[in-house]
Amino acid sequence: MQSSLFAVLALLVLTAVGFLIGRRRAVAAGSGRASRLHSLPNYYGYYLALWTGLPAFVLLALYGLFGASLVNTLALGELEREAAPLIREYEAQLARDDQYQALAEETQQIEAEALSARNEMFRAEREGGDAERYLRALGALTAQRNEIAAERQVRRDQVASSVAARAPRTIPGVRARAGFEYWRAPSERRELFIADARALAFNEGLASRNTEEIRAAALALRPWEDLFRWSAAGVALALSVAGLAYARTRIRASFRARDRVEGVVGLALMMTSAIAILTTLGIVFSLLFESIRFFASIDWRIHEFLFGLHWSPQIAIRADQVGQSGAFGAVPLFAGTALITLIAMLVAAPIGLMAAIYLSEYASPRLRAWAKPALEILAGVPTVVYGFFALLTVGPFLRQFAMMLGYEDAVTQSALSAGLVMGVMIIPFVSSLSDDVINAVPQTLRDGSYAMGATKSETVRHVVFPAALPGIVGALLLAVSRAVGETMIVVMAAGQGANLTANPLESVTTITVQIVMLLTGDQEFDSPKTLSAFALGLVLFVMTLILNIIALRVVQRFRERYE
Amino acid sequence: MTLDFPIDNPPTRYHPLTTQLPIKVATEDVSVRYGGKLALEDVTLEIPDRAVTACIGPSGCGKSTFLRCVNRMNDTIDTARVSGSIRIDSEEVNGRDVDPVVLRARVGMVFQKPNPFPKSIYENVAYGPRIHGLAETKAELDHIVETSLIKAGLWAEVADRLHHPGTSLSGGQQQRLVIARAIAVNPEVILMDEPCSALDPIATARIEELIDEMRENYSLIIVTHSMAQAARVSQMTAFFHLGKLVEYGPTEEIFTNPLDQRTQDYITGRFG
Ligand SMILES: Nc1ncnc2c1ncn2[C@@H]1O[C@H](COP(=O)(O)OP(=O)(O)OP(=O)(O)O)[C@@H](O)[C@H]1O
Ligand SMILES: [Mg+2]
């Protein structure tokens, strides 16, 4: 730690020195007159500072990112090599162990049976046979396999400890045992082993165990760590000095330091935007891959996913849990999303538009100056707050109201309450975007209309509104895509029943709600149930993407018209 | 009604020949303030009927402001305050009880940049008659649209595409469309604020021709920065400077024999 701190400080000082030298030399090269230089003296300073600091800092950053794991790999690789005789002995004993071999054979058999049961189940489901029966069989087989796997593990541990016990109680013997333990451990145990060893070796936090093996590993880590740390610091300083020396020789009056510095700045900015874009791409691709896995797990019945009318993704995970096999027809989710979005837009579009028209055409500048930000505060209210407002206030009120009107089946969590509150949430969205659009309508059009003797509302209706219409459509589409993707309000207020209904007083579920339901709680990450969330996410992403593209196009056209 | 001859009324100078024409618009001590700033100061002048009156003067002298007083377009500017009296046919325009919406049907206005509405050519012209309820039937409306377009000299060019958007026309055609739109409500006075400044010479010539024809039926007031244009199309010229009306009289007199040194300097291009 101290050595890297020292290296960083030294580099900072060197960089500053580089800047000063660069400036000084530039001034000298221009014989004291800045106008003789290609660039201002400071740019020569920056140029030298960049050469002095940048390569060295990049090296240190690489060391910081990869140094520790390199040290771990090297040190533990060393121990593993020393454990080779133990490993050989262990494998030989297991191969000779009849009990263990019998268990292995049994496992293979069960896996083969499970595979065929699974295929049968899918076939039965397709052809309308008794899928339940195969599902139960599959559950029993899984349980049996898990039992045997536990027995095998016990047997392996017994063999391993007898092998380890035979290693000599010397330092090389302990090192070999450490390597052996590390070799046998599954990956998450390996991480823990390394973490403990590092904790002992470098005081990085507290070790959870302190055994002979861990101490041996800690001792093995230290020399590698020292080597890397000092050599990284040394190489960084050397790079820095070399960079300084090289850049210094290049400074002349005609040298285009400014362009070089500009190039580096451009590169740095490009890297940051590349990070943003690549992250987005990464997310989209992972969505795509997981969706492909999901479609594979339902045997590529994509049309059933997109057009199926029945959504119940439960699949039996444990033997005693006899559920339905999953049905992944997403139409009820699409319909629920559409219903809630429709209700929300019925609220937000008229109110938002009228508010925008009032603010841009009628309100005095003073009123507008505070009313517009006040409206935009609505957009800053956390959606969770809207959610409990919908759940605790609007939902019960609507239920009672419906019951008063004689609709006895009314429920608290309904599409209507979620939709209404979501509508309120997106009002500022609509009003703010439309307000911008309306303001972009040229004043000359209004003047033309007033000069014809039109009143304000005639002008708004006949001139301003038609002129702004394309932009307003764009604004509404953006609001729709916002409503489609909104999660919190619907999770809290719309209920979870995957009802295929157009009745706003029933509870419905949306794409986003189901994604939340599928991914919360304990989950296996490769069951079709969990994977279906990714497919839903993909659908949602594609939908909002298309909406946004259309909306932006429309708005763009509108802008061009009045440039 | 004829002009009294206020030649000794400083600071404005009137030419003697002004007396011969019938008067349409008469202003008296009209001042306009934007916020606290005086943009137009005590303008008193009388504008003849069936003639073209040109307003000239350096930029920022208040020509547009004066024009906007006549149809009370200054009402649409929050900070503007107008005082003094403006009469059209001896009817006060500036009174509180006058409905500007009705007034603006009597006083048409054409702007510097052609501003057709985002509607069809037909709908652009029909806009005024529709909002003022001037046509009972579709046939009447068609008739109004046609005669207005004929008067604006645009009919031949657009007769076969009345339902294309008004914005699809060329700049010069758009400006004639806007003129047609203005005359569709049968105004008595037409105000034009630099109607040709966004147009090329040929389109400008057509508009000037049109203005000359319209003189037979309307009282026209036009603002222009082109001395040549003022000389060509107008019968009367008013010269404004720093918010004041400096000199007013028959165009020929103003251009050949100005009474005020500032007018002389401006029309000979010595300042501007
Ligand atoms: N809406 C307004 N708010 C505040 N001041 C204004 C406004 N309109 C005009 N003014 C001011 O009033 C004065 C006269 O403006 P006006 O537009 O009448 O000049 P103009 O003679 O038409 O000039 P130009 O030839 O450039 O069109 C100017 O000083 C201008 O800054
Ligand atoms: Mg003007």
Side-chain angles (χ1 to χ4, degrees):
Chain A
M1 272 294 93
Q2 272 162 354
S3 57
S4 24
L5 194 67
F6 168 74
V8 168
L9 280 180
L11 277 181
L12 283 178
V13 171
L14 266 174
T15 307
V17 170
F19 175 78
L20 292 176
I21 293 181
R23 238 192 92 95
R24 171 91 59 79
R25 261 191 85 87
V27 173
S31 340
R33 276 204 277 156
S35 57
R36 295 230 185 101
L37 293 169
H38 170 269
S39 317
L40 292 174
N42 271 354
Y43 280 106
Y44 296 88
Y46 294 141
Y47 176 72
L48 227 69
L50 280 173
W51 264 107
T52 317
L54 204 57
F57 274 115
V58 167
L59 184 88
L60 279 190
L62 286 178
Y63 167 74
L65 281 179
F66 304 114
S69 59
L70 201 61
V71 166
N72 297 344
T73 321
L74 286 169
L76 286 153
E78 200 180 50
L79 294 183
E80 265 182 308
R81 269 196 304 285
E82 289 173 28
L86 290 185
I87 293 170
R88 246 178 282 128
E89 176 65 24
Y90 168 73
E91 283 179 337
Q93 279 202 21
L94 271 189
R96 267 182 273 130
D97 192 297
D98 294 334
Q99 196 189 342
Y100 183 77
Q101 291 306 326
L103 288 172
E105 261 165 46
E106 217 174 319
T107 310
Q108 273 176 6
Q109 223 173 336
I110 290 175
E111 267 166 11
E113 275 175 48
L115 189 67
S116 75
R118 190 175 196 89
N119 287 338
E120 287 294 316
M121 180 181 82
F122 279 129
R123 206 170 52 83
E125 209 170 280
R126 250 196 322 275
E127 295 163 6
D130 186 5
E132 290 283 310
R133 191 165 61 107
Y134 293 109
L135 193 63
R136 271 194 295 275
L138 196 58
L141 285 171
T142 313
Q144 216 177 334
R145 196 200 56 190
N146 290 348
E147 242 167 64
I148 294 177
E151 274 177 53
R152 288 177 74 188
Q153 187 60 43
V154 170
R155 188 67 200 142
R156 272 201 297 265
D157 289 348
Q158 284 169 354
V159 173
S161 58
S162 80
V163 167
R166 257 175 277 153
R169 312 208 67 77
T170 57
I171 289 181
V174 177
R175 282 171 64 94
R177 285 212 317 265
F180 183 55
E181 184 181 335
Y182 181 74
W183 175 79
R184 281 196 63 227
S187 63
E188 70 274 7
R189 297 286 306 275
R190 283 185 168 197
E191 273 164 33
L192 189 63
F193 186 87
I194 289 179
D196 286 341
R198 288 196 75 91
L200 284 187
F202 315 116
N203 286 327
E204 295 173 0
L206 265 150
S208 65
R209 283 183 315 156
N210 185 350
T211 61
E212 271 187 334
E213 285 82 3
I214 301 234
R215 284 198 293 276
L219 285 176
L221 281 168
R222 268 196 200 144
W224 286 108
E225 177 80 12
D226 285 346
L227 178 67
F228 271 81
R229 199 175 273 179
W230 286 110
S231 57
V235 173
L237 288 182
L239 260 183
S240 167
V241 172
L244 180 75
Y246 166 71
R248 190 171 167 271
T249 60
R250 300 199 55 184
I251 290 184
R252 279 185 197 82
S254 63
F255 181 67
R256 305 179 164 203
R258 193 163 148 218
D259 301 352
R260 297 304 175 95
V261 172
E262 200 61 25
V264 173
V265 169
L267 204 69
L269 292 178
M270 195 194 79
M271 300 245 290
T272 44
S273 52
I275 289 173
I277 292 170
L278 290 180
T279 321
T280 316
L281 274 185
I283 292 172
V284 171
F285 274 111
S286 90
L287 207 55
L288 203 60
F289 286 131
E290 299 295 333
S291 303
I292 288 174
R293 277 178 66 194
F294 167 70
F295 290 129
S297 81
I298 58 165
D299 292 337
W300 301 103
R301 291 170 297 171
I302 298 179
H303 59 100
E304 262 177 47
F305 172 71
L306 289 178
F307 306 114
L309 301 183
H310 196 64
W311 177 263
S312 70
Q314 262 59 256
I315 241 186
I317 302 175
R318 294 193 314 274
D320 52 345
Q321 178 190 359
V322 184
Q324 295 161 285
S325 64
F328 297 101
V331 167
L333 313 192
F334 300 154
T337 307
L339 181 62
I340 290 185
T341 305
L342 180 74
I343 297 172
M345 290 311 291
L346 284 180
V347 174
I351 298 183
L353 266 180
M354 307 265 181
I357 288 174
Y358 175 73
L359 283 181
S360 57
E361 300 291 318
Y362 288 83
S364 69
R366 259 224 252 111
L367 181 67
R368 189 182 141 83
W370 72 261
K372 199 175 178 205
L375 198 57
E376 276 159 9
I377 286 176
L378 269 187
V381 175
T383 51
V384 116
V385 175
Y386 284 110
F388 64 68
F389 179 62
L391 182 64
L392 301 179
T393 314
V394 179
F397 170 77
L398 286 176
R399 193 174 79 105
Q400 271 172 6
F401 193 68
M403 301 232 285
M404 217 173 69
L405 295 181
Y407 181 76
E408 290 298 329
D409 301 334
V411 288
T412 311
Q413 293 190 315
S414 66
L416 189 59
S417 77
L420 287 181
V421 174
M422 193 193 285
V424 173
M425 184 194 84
I426 52 181
I427 285 173
F429 223 68
V430 175
S431 72
S432 171
L433 283 170
S434 325
D435 182 61
D436 291 346
V437 166
I438 290 172
N439 272 323
V441 173
Q443 183 61 30
T444 56
L445 282 186
R446 292 187 188 90
D447 286 348
S449 175
Y450 293 140
M452 292 300 302
T455 62
K456 216 161 208 176
S457 75
E458 282 165 344
T459 302
V460 168
R461 255 184 302 139
H462 298 306
V463 176
V464 177
F465 190 76
L469 192 62
I472 288 173
V473 169
L476 291 180
L477 285 181
L478 283 179
V480 167
S481 97
R482 184 69 207 268
V484 166
E486 169 53 37
T487 311
M488 210 58 205
I489 294 176
V490 274
V491 166
M492 294 172 77
Q496 276 101 45
N499 298 322
L500 187 54
T501 174
N503 180 353
L505 290 172
E506 271 184 56
S507 78
V508 297
T509 190
T510 66
I511 301 176
T512 51
V513 170
Q514 283 306 309
I515 293 176
V516 172
M517 295 298 144
L518 292 168
L519 292 183
T520 44
D522 266 347
Q523 298 297 343
E524 279 185 285
F525 263 90
D526 41 10
S527 76
K529 178 187 164 183
T530 316
L531 288 175
S532 68
F534 290 95
L536 288 179
L538 187 66
V539 170
L540 194 63
F541 171 73
V542 170
M543 262 163 71
T544 48
L545 186 71
I546 292 175
L547 277 175
N548 282 351
I549 289 176
I550 297 177
L552 290 178
R553 275 277 166 85
V554 171
V555 172
Q556 186 96 20
R557 283 258 180 82
F558 166 77
R559 291 241 169 84
E560 277 162 14
R561 191 128 71 90
Y562 291 114
E563 280 304 75
Chain B
M1 184 167 102
T2 51
L3 262 186
D4 311 336
F5 188 43
I7 194 161
D8 49 6
N9 179 15
T12 314
R13 317 199 80 172
Y14 277 74
H15 285 260
L17 291 178
T18 316
T19 47
Q20 330 232 305
L21 299 159
I23 294 306
K24 185 73 187 174
V25 181
T27 74
E28 209 178 313
D29 291 337
V30 169
S31 300
V32 179
R33 286 167 197 280
Y34 292 111
K37 186 169 160 284
L38 197 59
L40 202 61
E41 197 180 339
D42 292 338
V43 172
T44 302
L45 87 175
E46 278 136 332
I47 290 163
D49 198 5
R50 294 173 205 283
V52 179
T53 303
C55 299
I56 59 171
S59 191
C61 67
K63 306 180 294 291
S64 301
T65 302
F66 173 70
L67 219 55
R68 284 200 302 265
C69 290
V70 180
N71 65 347
R72 289 194 41 186
M73 278 296 277
N74 280 324
D75 290 14
T76 64
I77 300 169
D78 290 324
T79 54
R81 292 286 169 276
V82 182
S83 64
S85 137
I86 305 157
R87 273 164 290 140
I88 299 181
D89 289 338
S90 61
E91 237 177 276
E92 179 59 50
V93 158
N94 229 359
R96 276 191 177 274
D97 50 337
V98 176
D99 182 0
V101 167
V102 176
L103 168 72
R104 287 177 201 148
R106 291 175 66 197
V107 184
M109 187 164 194
V110 173
F111 296 82
Q112 177 172 0
K113 245 183 90 190
N115 57 352
F117 301 140
K119 297 169 176 291
S120 69
I121 294 169
Y122 181 94
E123 284 300 326
N124 260 286
V125 182
Y127 186 77
R130 272 197 211 281
I131 57 176
H132 294 293
L134 298 186
E136 299 279 312
T137 62
K138 173 87 170 84
E140 266 180 294
L141 191 60
D142 287 351
H143 179 71
I144 294 178
V145 170
E146 184 176 341
T147 48
S148 307
L149 282 169
I150 290 172
K151 280 192 210 154
L154 192 60
W155 178 252
E157 288 154 71
V158 302
D160 55 343
R161 48 169 174 156
L162 285 178
H163 296 284
H164 290 216
T167 43
S168 66
L169 298 172
S170 75
Q173 288 174 324
Q174 287 186 15
Q175 198 63 310
R176 276 179 282 148
L177 175 64
V178 170
I179 291 173
R181 185 175 75 190
I183 56 191
V185 289
N186 259 323
E188 298 151 37
V189 181
I190 294 181
L191 314 171
M192 296 185 169
D193 195 346
E194 303 180 40
C196 302
S197 65
L199 305 181
D200 68 281
I202 293 170
T204 301
R206 294 226 43 183
I207 301 281
E208 283 181 11
E209 229 171 84
L210 184 58
I211 291 172
D212 204 48
E213 287 165 15
M214 285 163 71
R215 176 158 66 101
E216 284 176 22
N217 303 308
Y218 308 99
S219 164
L220 291 114
I221 311 177
I222 91 167
V223 169
T224 177
H225 276 286
S226 155
M227 293 306 106
Q229 186 173 62
R232 277 194 301 267
V233 302
S234 72
Q235 286 71 52
M236 301 295 289
T237 295
F239 173 65
F240 290 79
H241 183 54
L242 296 176
K244 291 199 183 88
L245 177 63
V246 171
E247 186 164 349
Y248 177 58
T251 303
E252 271 174 45
E253 292 295 311
I254 297 274
F255 278 85
T256 53
N257 194 13
L259 298 177
D260 195 288
Q261 185 60 38
R262 289 168 290 179
T263 318
Q264 169 90 41
D265 290 347
Y266 183 70
I267 58 178
T268 52
R270 233 165 282 160
F271 76 90

